[in-house]
Amino acid sequence: MTGKETSASKPVPRPSSESRVFWDGAKEQKLMLPRCKACGQCWFPPSQRCRHCLSDDFAWVQSKGEGRIYSFVVYHRVYHPAFEQDVPYVVAIVELDEGPRLLSNIVGTPPDQVRCDARVRVVFEDSESRVVIPKFAIAR
Ligand SMILES: [Zn+2]
């Protein structure tokens, strides 16, 4: 993302009661995941029950923020005027080492050099917005 200003502002996620810990963590540059106390697995997006065993006994843990690109697309078309200065940009499904997959952006690498299975690490870009969106950069 270039950070250039446009007349329209980007839509931002609205934290829900289930996702508030995730978004509060992002503001502190932490990638938070719900982790099941019964089976030990993490899941995403946040919900009140484990996706693996349906237990409602879980705690939030900080992810290492490392994983790989499971799949990605390059957006060339401007679907929202606020993204006009950003195209082309990469939208990817990142598979974290803890297991969950997140939809995010790959930043810091030209889109034509992004590849599936590339190792990535979470980055938290400064934002004027009240919501910080975790993004990923290819690990060097
Ligand atoms: Zn579980």
Side-chain angles (χ1 to χ4, degrees):
M1 305 299 161
T2 62
K4 293 175 192 168
E5 291 302 316
T6 57
S7 55
S9 58
K10 292 179 180 175
V12 294
R14 294 197 308 195
S16 66
S17 58
E18 292 183 332
S19 67
R20 184 160 304 283
V21 173
F22 176 84
W23 294 113
D24 286 349
K27 270 193 254 181
E28 298 173 5
Q29 308 217 333
K30 295 175 182 175
L31 189 65
M32 302 300 291
L33 296 172
R35 182 172 182 272
C36 180
K37 290 183 179 176
C39 74
Q41 299 205 61
C42 295
W43 68 90
F44 193 88
S47 61
Q48 294 303 308
R49 284 192 179 274
C50 172
R51 295 279 168 89
H52 306 281
C53 73
L54 301 180
S55 170
D56 63 358
D57 189 14
F58 70 94
W60 287 88
V61 296
Q62 184 176 355
S63 166
K64 287 185 303 171
E66 298 175 4
R68 68 181 186 101
I69 298 175
Y70 176 78
S71 185
F72 72 96
V73 293
V74 180
Y75 277 56
H76 294 274
R77 182 173 293 183
V78 177
Y79 288 98
H80 186 288
F83 291 83
E84 188 174 355
Q85 302 295 323
D86 295 336
V87 290
Y89 61 93
V90 177
V91 175
I93 297 173
V94 170
E95 186 174 79
L96 296 171
D97 290 346
E98 291 90 348
R101 293 175 181 162
L102 280 69
L103 193 62
S104 186
N105 295 117
I106 305 300
V107 297
T109 298
D112 64 353
Q113 293 177 26
V114 173
R115 298 287 182 268
C116 286
D117 285 328
R119 293 290 301 170
V120 292
R121 180 186 304 269
V122 71
V123 293
F124 299 92
E125 298 179 330
D126 287 338
S127 172
E128 306 274 317
S129 165
R130 64 200 186 292
V131 177
V132 174
I133 300 174
K135 297 180 181 179
F136 289 82
I138 292 179
R140 303 288 175 200

